[in-house]
Amino acid sequence: TLHDLAVSFLLHDVEPGQAFEIGPFRVTTAPMAHPVPTLGIRLEAGGQVLAYTADSGPTPEVVKLARDADLLLADATWQEREGTEYPPDIHMTDRDVGRAAREAEARRVVLTHIWPTLDRAISQEQAADEYGDDVILADEGMRLEVKG
């Protein structure tokens, strides 16, 4: 319940673009393209950077968030297919993620939030084609080390 959250955690409102520190982490937020307010986050600690888009359509903010990130974890819900159009400000396609990761010069890319009826291998291939290198598919229970 909301009451349980309020007594278990110290809650703070966070504005898009706001940066703050939690323990060893420097957290920077960025507004994502989504119908409801959604923040992507960039976590930095010990010279290592993890960028996470959360739900987002394509936006230049993704590139800023992921600039030189060691690992980009990105929403790749849709799959680009000829003749298929998606709502522009809800989720990214696999190719959107690949392009943003390439432009941001992210070192590794993990695709997440892939629509369950899609062929994940095609999403991986299309994102990698745009990125110019291999991409990883998120999987339940997966653990990755972020290396700077």
Side-chain angles (χ1 to χ4, degrees), residues 58-144:
T59 172
E61 293 292 336
V62 171
V63 174
K64 286 193 238 176
L65 189 76
R67 176 70 57 211
D68 297 319
D70 296 297
L71 182 65
L72 168 62
L73 179 60
D75 170 3
T77 298
W78 310 129
Q79 205 169 71
E80 284 197 20
R81 294 188 264 178
E82 193 171 322
T84 303
E85 290 189 35
Y86 301 104
D89 294 336
I90 296 178
H91 302 291
M92 288 184 280
T93 68
D94 43 26
R95 290 189 183 277
D96 291 331
V97 171
R99 285 188 288 270
R102 182 184 69 240
E103 188 176 336
E105 298 183 13
R107 287 181 258 307
R108 285 193 301 170
V109 179
V110 177
L111 304 181
T112 189
H113 206 269
I114 298 170
W115 199 253
T117 59
L118 297 177
D119 183 331
R120 291 167 47 90
I122 291 172
S123 293
Q124 185 177 32
E125 180 182 311
Q126 290 186 163
D129 184 51
E130 294 293 335
Y131 176 51
D133 204 345
D134 292 335
V135 300
I136 301 164
L137 296 173
D139 205 5
E140 188 174 338
M142 173 185 270
R143 291 176 187 224
L144 293 172

Side-chain angles (χ1 to χ4, degrees), residues 9-73:
F9 298 95
L10 182 57
L11 303 176
H12 297 277
D13 288 332
V14 178
E15 296 297 322
Q18 183 178 349
F20 53 93
E21 293 187 14
I22 300 175
F25 299 102
R26 172 89 177 146
V27 181
T28 306
T29 64
M32 296 291 99
H34 203 59
V36 297
T38 303
L39 295 177
I41 60 168
R42 179 181 175 95
L43 292 173
E44 300 178 62
Q48 300 165 334
V49 177
L50 166 70
Y52 171 59
T53 66
D55 285 353
S56 183
T59 172
E61 293 292 336
V62 171
V63 174
K64 286 193 238 176
L65 189 76
R67 176 70 57 211
D68 297 319
D70 296 297
L71 182 65
L72 168 62
L73 179 60

